[in-house]
Amino acid sequence: MAKKVKVSVYGMNISRNGVDRVNLNNIFQGRSLIQIVNEYIEQNLNRYDNDHHKENLFAFSQCQLDVMLDAEGRLEGNVLSGVVKTGEYGISSELIDVNTGDVYNRSIDQADIMPFGFCIIVPVGNVNSCIVVMQNLGQYSIKLSLQKKLESIIHMADNDLFVSLGPVMPRQYIQKYFREGILQKISMIRYEIPRDETERLGVNYGVNETYEERIIHKPTGFLERKANVIAEWMNGQRAASDIVQIDDYDYDNLKFVFKLGNTEKTINLDNVDRIVITEDISDRVTMLDGLPTFDTLKPVMIEIGRGYLQGIGMAYL
C-alpha cells in the first residue's frame, strides 16, 4: 500500500524585533517575501546545508513563481512553489530488497533523502501574514526544517526580522467541520505503552518509536451525543481527553478525521488554539516511484491554500 500524501497548512508572519509585523510585500528595501525567498533558492538550488548538530541535510531542488487570480482575472496574490529535499544521517541500518532479499548496508555517514513539496501564498496589498502549505508523506514532514531555513533567509536580509509559523485555523472555521462534516473515524494514540502490555505483545518496552493507536471507524451518532462536551472543549472548558473516555486506556493524543465534500481533514484536538489541519490528497496527485509528482502536487497545494484564504477571509490575514 502506498503511503498517504497529505498537506498541512500554516500561517506565517514576520515581525521586527518580535513586536511589529511587517508588510510581506515590502519587507526590506522594497523587496517582498516572495522575492527574497525566490532569489535565495535560485542562487542555492541543490546545494545541501548540513546541520551537524541535528545530523540533517536540507536543500531546495525546485522553485516556481505563479500568480493567483480571482474570477475576473484580477491579481489576488503571488505564489512561490517548490521542492525541498531533506533527510537525516548518523544511524547505520540495513536496506533489504523486498523482491530478492539482498541486504545492503547504510553507514552513519549516509543520509536518507526524501523530497517534499511546499508553497507560499502572499495576498496582494499591505498584508502582514500569509499561507504556507507543506506536503507530508506518511509520518514524515518538513515543518521544522523549512521554518528554520525561512528564518535563516529572512535574517540574511535583515537581522532584526523574526519569522513566526503556526496554525492558521480560527475556531469558527474549525467549527464548520463539526457542523457540516461527516466524522469518519476517531483515533486515540498512546506513546508510552505499559510494561505488562509490551510483554504480552512481545515488543521491547520503552522504545520511542513504539506507540499504540486505537481507531473507531464510522462513529455514527457520536457528534450528536457528545455535542455539549465538544462545545465545552471548543470553549476551553474541557480537555480533549474528556470527549472520549475508555476504561484502562489513557491516551496522549486524540484526532478526528472528517469528510467534507471530497476533502478529508484530520483535526488534532490536543490544543484547540494550536490545531493544525491536515488534508489527505492521495487521490488527487499522481504517484511515481512512491512519491507525488510536483506537476500534480503544485496545483493541489495552491487550490488548498486559496481555499483557506477564502474560508478564513482575507481580513483575517
Side-chain angles (χ1 to χ4, degrees):
M1 178 185 295
K3 294 185 182 299
K4 287 190 175 183
V5 180
K6 300 181 180 182
V7 294
S8 298
V9 184
Y10 298 89
M12 186 172 79
N13 65 75
I14 299 174
S15 59
R16 186 169 299 281
N17 296 317
V19 179
D20 299 321
R21 292 188 180 185
V22 301
N23 177 7
L24 298 184
N25 288 309
N26 185 8
I27 289 181
F28 181 73
Q29 296 180 348
R31 298 161 67 206
S32 69
L33 169 65
I34 294 290
Q35 289 174 316
I36 292 173
V37 176
N38 181 63
E39 288 172 8
Y40 175 87
I41 294 176
E42 289 187 341
Q43 294 170 8
N44 294 275
L45 269 179
N46 297 310
R47 183 180 299 172
Y48 280 96
D49 289 335
N50 189 347
D51 187 332
H52 296 280
H53 177 68
K54 293 188 176 181
E55 298 181 320
N56 177 269
L57 295 179
F58 180 100
F60 291 103
S61 66
Q62 197 166 345
C63 181
Q64 294 180 5
L65 294 176
D66 294 279
V67 294
M68 195 168 65
L69 305 176
D70 65 13
E72 284 73 40
R74 294 171 299 194
L75 181 64
E76 279 187 321
N78 293 289
V79 183
L80 184 152
S81 305
V83 175
V84 161
K85 288 186 176 181
T86 185
E88 298 181 347
Y89 59 92
I91 299 176
S92 63
S93 63
E94 291 185 346
L95 304 176
I96 301 177
D97 189 314
V98 297
N99 295 314
T100 65
D102 293 340
V103 179
Y104 308 90
N105 293 318
R106 170 189 160 192
S107 76
I108 62 173
D109 296 320
Q110 293 177 315
D112 185 12
I113 301 296
M114 295 178 61
F116 297 87
F118 73 93
C119 77
I120 301 172
I121 304 176
V122 181
V124 295
N126 188 350
V127 295
N128 58 29
S129 294
C130 67
I131 292 290
V132 182
V133 184
M134 303 183 197
Q135 175 225 325
N136 309 321
L137 185 64
Q139 62 179 332
Y140 302 101
S141 70
I142 56 168
K143 197 267 184 181
L144 295 179
S145 58
L146 181 58
Q147 179 177 356
K148 181 179 178 180
K149 176 52 65 176
L150 291 174
E151 290 172 349
S152 174
I153 294 171
I154 298 303
H155 280 165
M156 284 188 284
D158 187 334
N159 199 46
D160 291 331
L161 296 177
F162 294 84
V163 174
S164 177
L165 187 71
V168 71
M169 305 295 288
R171 296 191 186 198
Q172 60 267 31
Y173 194 58
I174 295 170
Q175 291 172 350
K176 175 180 180 180
Y177 298 97
F178 283 87
R179 292 194 309 267
E180 304 175 19
I182 299 174
L183 184 59
Q184 298 288 93
K185 60 184 178 182
I186 300 170
S187 170
M188 294 153 286
I189 300 174
R190 178 163 63 179
Y191 294 107
E192 185 174 344
I193 306 175
R195 183 184 294 273
D196 59 338
E197 290 195 23
T198 60
E199 291 177 351
R200 289 198 300 268
L201 292 169
V203 299
N204 292 336
Y205 173 72
V207 179
N208 291 335
E209 291 80 7
T210 302
Y211 65 90
E212 179 181 0
E213 181 176 13
R214 296 190 183 184
I215 298 177
I216 301 174
H217 294 271
K218 304 295 182 182
T220 305
F222 176 84
L223 293 179
E224 291 78 9
R225 292 185 176 89
K226 291 285 187 174
N228 291 336
V229 179
I230 292 173
E232 292 174 353
W233 162 80
M234 194 77 70
N235 293 325
Q237 298 171 315
R238 282 181 179 266
S241 57
D242 292 333
I243 300 175
V244 180
Q245 297 179 332
I246 297 180
D247 292 340
D248 300 324
Y249 185 70
D250 297 324
Y251 55 86
D252 302 298
N253 188 258
L254 178 65
K255 297 180 180 181
F256 286 179
V257 179
F258 287 94
K259 187 81 171 181
L260 184 60
N262 293 324
T263 300
E264 184 176 275
K265 295 182 183 287
T266 300
I267 300 181
N268 188 329
L269 278 69
D270 272 342
N271 188 327
V272 66
D273 294 315
R274 300 293 297 172
I275 287 179
V276 175
I277 301 294
T278 301
E279 298 196 18
D280 187 343
I281 60 169
S282 303
D283 60 350
R284 301 172 64 184
V285 295
T286 300
M287 304 295 287
L288 179 64
D289 296 329
L291 299 168
T293 63
F294 182 66
D295 288 343
T296 60
L297 176 63
K298 187 184 80 167
V300 175
M301 291 192 297
I302 295 176
E303 178 187 341
I304 289 173
R306 181 198 292 271
Y308 277 69
L309 288 174
Q310 294 172 344
I312 62 180
M314 297 292 285
Y316 177 75
L317 294 174

